[in-house]
mmCIF file of all heavy atoms in Angstrom:
data_model
loop_
_atom_site.group_PDB
_atom_site.id
_atom_site.type_symbol
_atom_site.label_atom_id
_atom_site.label_comp_id
_atom_site.label_asym_id
_atom_site.label_seq_id
_atom_site.Cartn_x
_atom_site.Cartn_y
_atom_site.Cartn_z
ATOM 1 N N VAL A 142 166.791 65.803 -93.874
ATOM 2 C CA VAL A 142 167.501 64.754 -94.575
ATOM 3 C C VAL A 142 168.769 64.389 -93.836
ATOM 4 O O VAL A 142 169.412 65.280 -93.254
ATOM 5 C CB VAL A 142 167.833 65.287 -96.035
ATOM 6 C CG1 VAL A 142 168.538 64.200 -96.840
ATOM 7 C CG2 VAL A 142 166.594 65.768 -96.764
ATOM 8 N N LYS A 168 166.151 70.841 -95.374
ATOM 9 C CA LYS A 168 167.260 71.019 -94.442
ATOM 10 C C LYS A 168 168.142 69.756 -94.503
ATOM 11 O O LYS A 168 167.798 68.693 -93.969
ATOM 12 C CB LYS A 168 166.774 71.201 -93.012
ATOM 13 C CG LYS A 168 167.860 71.768 -92.115
ATOM 14 C CD LYS A 168 167.732 71.453 -90.636
ATOM 15 C CE LYS A 168 168.162 70.070 -90.273
ATOM 16 N NZ LYS A 168 169.596 69.798 -90.589
ATOM 17 N N ASN A 200 173.116 71.554 -86.984
ATOM 18 C CA ASN A 200 172.353 70.655 -86.129
ATOM 19 C C ASN A 200 171.521 71.431 -85.077
ATOM 20 O O ASN A 200 171.140 70.867 -84.060
ATOM 21 C CB ASN A 200 173.257 69.641 -85.402
ATOM 22 C CG ASN A 200 172.888 68.205 -85.741
ATOM 23 O OD1 ASN A 200 171.909 68.003 -86.522
ATOM 24 N ND2 ASN A 200 173.559 67.277 -85.186
ATOM 25 N N SER A 220 167.737 59.257 -87.597
ATOM 26 C CA SER A 220 167.810 58.224 -86.585
ATOM 27 C C SER A 220 166.499 58.122 -85.794
ATOM 28 O O SER A 220 165.700 59.082 -85.743
ATOM 29 C CB SER A 220 168.955 58.524 -85.644
ATOM 30 O OG SER A 220 168.693 59.725 -84.950
ATOM 31 N N THR A 223 166.251 60.821 -82.963
ATOM 32 C CA THR A 223 165.821 62.150 -83.413
ATOM 33 C C THR A 223 164.378 62.090 -83.901
ATOM 34 O O THR A 223 163.614 63.070 -83.663
ATOM 35 C CB THR A 223 166.729 62.660 -84.555
ATOM 36 O OG1 THR A 223 168.084 62.485 -84.154
ATOM 37 C CG2 THR A 223 166.465 64.120 -84.866
ATOM 38 N N LEU A 242 163.127 56.007 -90.240
ATOM 39 C CA LEU A 242 164.109 55.986 -89.189
ATOM 40 C C LEU A 242 165.110 54.833 -89.284
ATOM 41 O O LEU A 242 165.282 54.253 -90.349
ATOM 42 C CB LEU A 242 163.380 55.919 -87.830
ATOM 43 C CG LEU A 242 162.295 57.038 -87.648
ATOM 44 C CD1 LEU A 242 161.553 56.870 -86.301
ATOM 45 C CD2 LEU A 242 162.877 58.399 -87.807
ATOM 46 N N CYS A 275 170.266 52.747 -94.464
ATOM 47 C CA CYS A 275 169.196 52.359 -93.487
ATOM 48 C C CYS A 275 168.783 50.943 -93.676
ATOM 49 O O CYS A 275 168.520 50.242 -92.723
ATOM 50 C CB CYS A 275 168.007 53.350 -93.547
ATOM 51 S SG CYS A 275 167.325 53.489 -95.199
ATOM 52 N N GLU A 371 171.969 49.174 -84.095
ATOM 53 C CA GLU A 371 172.281 49.512 -85.510
ATOM 54 C C GLU A 371 173.714 50.008 -85.638
ATOM 55 O O GLU A 371 174.049 51.068 -85.091
ATOM 56 C CB GLU A 371 171.309 50.608 -86.007
ATOM 57 C CG GLU A 371 171.526 50.946 -87.441
ATOM 58 C CD GLU A 371 170.707 52.149 -87.943
ATOM 59 O OE1 GLU A 371 170.403 53.046 -87.140
ATOM 60 O OE2 GLU A 371 170.324 52.129 -89.139
HETATM 61 P P1 NAD B 501 170.095 62.170 -87.316
HETATM 62 O O1 NAD B 501 168.788 61.778 -86.728
HETATM 63 O O2 NAD B 501 171.221 62.512 -86.400
HETATM 64 O O3 NAD B 501 169.937 63.456 -88.286
HETATM 65 C C1 NAD B 501 169.048 63.473 -89.344
HETATM 66 C C2 NAD B 501 168.640 64.914 -89.639
HETATM 67 O O4 NAD B 501 167.904 65.402 -88.547
HETATM 68 C C3 NAD B 501 169.801 65.859 -89.832
HETATM 69 O O5 NAD B 501 169.454 66.744 -90.895
HETATM 70 C C4 NAD B 501 169.854 66.589 -88.540
HETATM 71 O O6 NAD B 501 170.433 67.862 -88.586
HETATM 72 C C5 NAD B 501 168.393 66.682 -88.174
HETATM 73 N N1 NAD B 501 168.147 66.934 -86.723
HETATM 74 C C6 NAD B 501 168.975 66.828 -85.679
HETATM 75 N N2 NAD B 501 168.308 67.065 -84.530
HETATM 76 C C7 NAD B 501 167.038 67.389 -84.875
HETATM 77 C C8 NAD B 501 165.838 67.657 -84.142
HETATM 78 N N3 NAD B 501 165.869 67.783 -82.802
HETATM 79 N N4 NAD B 501 164.702 67.835 -84.812
HETATM 80 C C9 NAD B 501 164.643 67.719 -86.132
HETATM 81 N N5 NAD B 501 165.727 67.418 -86.913
HETATM 82 C C10 NAD B 501 166.916 67.233 -86.272
HETATM 83 O O7 NAD B 501 170.437 60.957 -88.291
HETATM 84 P P2 NAD B 501 171.786 60.722 -89.087
HETATM 85 O O8 NAD B 501 172.876 60.285 -88.098
HETATM 86 O O9 NAD B 501 172.080 61.923 -89.956
HETATM 87 O O10 NAD B 501 171.384 59.499 -90.084
HETATM 88 C C11 NAD B 501 171.589 58.192 -89.767
HETATM 89 C C12 NAD B 501 170.308 57.550 -89.320
HETATM 90 O O11 NAD B 501 169.324 57.728 -90.304
HETATM 91 C C13 NAD B 501 170.426 56.034 -89.188
HETATM 92 O O12 NAD B 501 169.768 55.602 -88.028
HETATM 93 C C14 NAD B 501 169.722 55.520 -90.405
HETATM 94 O O13 NAD B 501 169.210 54.173 -90.298
HETATM 95 C C15 NAD B 501 168.633 56.519 -90.592
HETATM 96 N N6 NAD B 501 168.134 56.507 -91.959
HETATM 97 C C16 NAD B 501 166.878 56.038 -92.213
HETATM 98 C C17 NAD B 501 166.397 55.993 -93.502
HETATM 99 C C18 NAD B 501 165.024 55.459 -93.819
HETATM 100 O O14 NAD B 501 164.524 55.708 -94.906
HETATM 101 N N7 NAD B 501 164.370 54.796 -92.878
HETATM 102 C C19 NAD B 501 167.212 56.377 -94.575
HETATM 103 C C20 NAD B 501 168.482 56.876 -94.268
HETATM 104 C C21 NAD B 501 168.949 56.900 -92.932
#
Side-chain angles (χ1 to χ4, degrees):
V142 182
K168 197 205 80 60
N200 238 359
S220 64
T223 311
L242 308 178
C275 53
E371 182 186 33

